[in-house]
Amino acid sequence: MGKKKVSILSLGCSKNLVDSERLARRFADVNVNCSFVEELPSDGSDLIINTCGFIGDAKEESINMLLGALQQKADGKLGAVYAMGCLTERYRSELSEEIPELDGLYGKFDWTGIVEKIAGNRDNAAPWQRELSTLPHYTYLKISEGCNRFCAFCAIPLITGRHKSRPVEEIVEEVKELVAKGTVEFNIIAQDLSSYGTDLEGGRSRLAELLEQLAQIEGVKMLRLHYAYPSDFPYDILPVMAKYPNICKYLDIALQHIDDTVLLNMRRHIDAKATRQLLNRIREEVPGIHIRTTLMVGFPGETDEAFSNLMEFVKEQRFERMGAFAYCEEEGTYAARNLDDNIPAEVKQKRLDALMALQQEIAFETAEAKVGMTLPVIIDECTDEGYTGRTEYDSPEVDCNVYISNDKPLEIGKIYNVKITGSEGFDLLGTLAE
């Protein structure tokens, strides 16, 4: 008899993906053949779906995927079907009652039990070890779990619990092991990077210390920061970012809004003046930095004037990277309990469309301004037309690409200097520099 086969389908964010990769490493340790899939398989393998429970659309996708998998099982195309992750963490009892056909339900923190359930014995892998599902030259590095902020609209603390940082030493060990296997780009993620280390000994932010140690590891070519929080921002990371060339001039920091009344109602612990001071200081101390942010429209109480303030803010700041979404009430949150979701859906959508149209114009101009520059580009893929890569200003999956026309073979995962010759919308065109 051959090896037991297991497939993992990971939904939602990159933080979920890291958990899926850790699970895959544990299966490898007990000699189980494990693979990552992006759609429902039909090869008779056992299937584990790592669910997302962040917003309504994500919850619906997770439920539909579970139901689809159970139909595959009924048709004899799958073995056992297990669920893990954010949706099951929050709605375990409800899912157990409504979808009893599932072979097992695991949450955000007890998913290691799936290995023993399927394989019949426990693995010996270190908690942080994993099998990468990404291209081998880049990965996501999760440095903490949970959040203590309790923004009015956000269900994350209800799912993940309180903020818990990983020890610096453990993260450094993980990076060294991955570098030895060929990984050169690390996208640092957490629900709240700004709070990293505040729950460790000393009770202070240790993000700057962590960055400094990681930047000095031989073989680390790119470090990129995702999901900082504007309140209690760790300013001591800025000189570290400016000092080390392998720390990308890139910061992902969700601001959500700029109107003082909306920010107060969102419970964001910061106002418009402090937000602008923060952004000014970041740009002053890290020249050339590209800021990615996320904004929200349609939060309860957002007047026409408040939305106008948001539009003016985006025109003023010209964020190099930006995403936005319309407010969606999440049960159990402060906003759901205390605020009336009284802005019509069509108004929310109109505001969202206007905001994104403005940002598209800014993003196109940002790309066009790079024409003529020579930039380091990491190569992700070889295509019939040439190669696809990214600059330090571009995170995998969410940001822009550089399309390189080149007759000579380039090495995937290596960084080359590329002369930017043009732009197409968000993306850049280039040729290998002499």
Side-chain angles (χ1 to χ4, degrees):
M1 182 181 292
K3 280 186 179 182
K4 183 82 172 174
K5 287 183 65 176
V6 171
S7 298
I8 300 177
L9 196 159
S10 195
L11 302 174
C13 66
S14 53
K15 295 177 284 293
N16 253 19
L17 190 65
V18 170
D19 289 341
S20 295
E21 292 175 342
R22 289 173 176 168
L23 179 60
R25 175 64 179 81
R26 282 159 173 72
F27 277 120
D29 200 59
V30 294
N31 204 34
V32 169
N33 186 353
C34 183
S35 60
F36 298 101
V37 296
E38 295 183 357
E39 56 187 26
L40 294 176
S42 56
D43 58 359
S45 62
D46 288 349
L47 176 65
I48 301 160
I49 298 178
N50 192 351
T51 61
C52 179
F54 179 44
I55 58 175
D57 288 347
K59 288 186 279 190
E60 183 178 356
E61 180 189 20
S62 293
I63 292 292
N64 289 339
M65 198 66 75
L66 291 171
L67 295 175
L70 289 171
Q71 184 60 55
Q72 290 278 78
K73 177 184 175 182
D75 293 341
K77 298 178 180 179
L78 280 177
V81 177
Y82 300 89
M84 62 177 276
C86 292
L87 187 75
T88 50
E89 180 68 29
R90 191 173 183 199
Y91 300 105
R92 191 180 311 225
S93 59
E94 293 90 336
L95 289 170
S96 180
E97 292 178 7
E98 295 177 15
I99 316 180
E101 299 88 353
L102 289 169
D103 293 278
L105 281 166
Y106 299 83
K108 278 285 295 176
F109 306 104
D110 63 341
W111 47 260
T112 54
I114 303 177
V115 178
E116 191 169 3
K117 177 81 177 285
I118 291 178
N121 60 316
R122 296 184 179 181
D123 64 275
N124 294 305
W128 44 265
Q129 290 181 311
R130 51 199 169 105
E131 299 286 325
L132 296 188
S133 60
T134 57
L135 294 169
H137 61 271
Y138 77 81
T139 189
Y140 300 96
L141 183 67
K142 183 160 64 170
I143 64 172
S144 66
E145 189 76 81
C147 183
N148 296 346
R149 302 289 186 168
F150 292 97
C151 299
F153 54 83
C154 186
I156 286 176
L158 304 176
I159 299 169
T160 62
R162 306 290 285 184
H163 178 266
K164 187 175 182 181
S165 303
R166 294 176 57 201
V168 172
E169 299 75 18
E170 179 182 288
I171 298 169
V172 168
E173 187 174 357
E174 177 181 2
V175 170
K176 286 181 177 178
E177 182 173 299
L178 288 168
V179 167
K181 295 179 179 179
T183 307
V184 299
E185 176 187 342
F186 295 85
N187 295 282
I188 301 173
I189 58 174
Q191 279 86 12
D192 174 14
L193 282 186
S194 296
S195 294
Y196 175 74
T198 55
D199 57 319
L200 299 176
E201 185 177 355
R204 56 180 174 79
S205 172
R206 297 183 66 181
L207 186 58
E209 174 190 340
L210 175 65
L211 275 179
E212 187 118 30
Q213 291 201 35
L214 296 181
Q216 295 179 70
I217 296 174
E218 186 176 355
V220 172
K221 303 298 184 184
M222 285 184 169
L223 294 165
R224 191 178 288 108
L225 293 171
H226 280 278
Y227 318 125
Y229 195 91
S231 176
D232 306 313
F233 184 82
Y235 284 104
D236 57 345
I237 71 170
L238 299 179
V240 179
M241 294 180 73
K243 175 181 178 182
Y244 291 96
N246 59 350
I247 300 179
C248 298
K249 304 303 182 282
Y250 179 107
L251 180 66
D252 188 342
I253 180 167
L255 298 174
Q256 305 300 351
H257 219 281
I258 196 61
D259 183 80
D260 279 339
T261 300
V262 175
L263 288 170
L264 182 64
N265 290 336
M266 284 181 167
R267 307 179 91 190
R268 291 291 287 173
H269 317 295
I270 195 168
D271 61 13
K273 181 180 179 181
T275 299
R276 286 185 167 91
Q277 290 173 340
L278 167 65
L279 294 171
N280 289 341
R281 184 166 172 184
I282 291 171
R283 292 194 185 279
E284 286 172 4
E285 294 199 34
V286 190
I289 193 169
H290 281 40
I291 295 176
R292 164 171 277 282
T293 195
T294 304
L295 301 174
M296 182 191 295
V297 301
F299 188 77
E302 184 191 55
T303 61
D304 289 341
E305 182 182 0
F307 177 67
S308 178
N309 289 340
L310 184 62
M311 290 286 283
E312 290 303 314
F313 176 62
V314 172
K315 290 178 186 176
E316 161 202 316
Q317 292 294 326
R318 296 184 62 82
F319 295 107
E320 290 81 4
R321 309 284 183 257
M322 193 197 87
F325 61 101
Y327 171 73
C328 176
E329 186 175 273
E330 285 298 311
E331 62 180 313
T333 60
Y334 177 89
R337 296 193 311 269
N338 296 280
L339 302 175
D340 184 15
D341 182 13
N342 58 1
I343 298 178
E346 60 270 21
V347 174
K348 292 179 184 178
Q349 189 61 51
K350 184 177 180 180
R351 290 176 179 177
L352 181 61
D353 292 344
L355 186 64
M356 292 311 298
L358 170 61
Q359 178 58 27
Q360 178 175 288
E361 181 182 332
I362 293 169
F364 286 5
E365 291 171 358
T366 299
E368 179 66 24
K370 291 184 171 63
V371 175
M373 295 181 178
T374 296
L375 300 173
V377 173
I378 189 165
I379 304 300
D380 287 332
E381 183 184 12
C382 177
T383 68
D384 292 339
E385 292 78 28
Y387 291 86
T388 302
R390 289 171 292 107
T391 71
E392 67 176 303
Y393 311 119
D394 300 297
S395 196
E397 307 296 335
V398 297
D399 289 324
C400 312
N401 290 317
V402 182
Y403 296 103
I404 305 157
S405 57
N406 188 65
D407 296 331
K408 298 178 182 179
L410 302 181
E411 185 178 339
I412 303 299
K414 189 174 178 181
I415 298 173
Y416 296 86
N417 287 327
V418 173
K419 177 71 175 290
I420 305 303
T421 58
S423 65
E424 286 187 351
F426 297 99
D427 299 317
L428 300 175
L429 309 174
T431 58
L432 204 64
E434 295 296 331

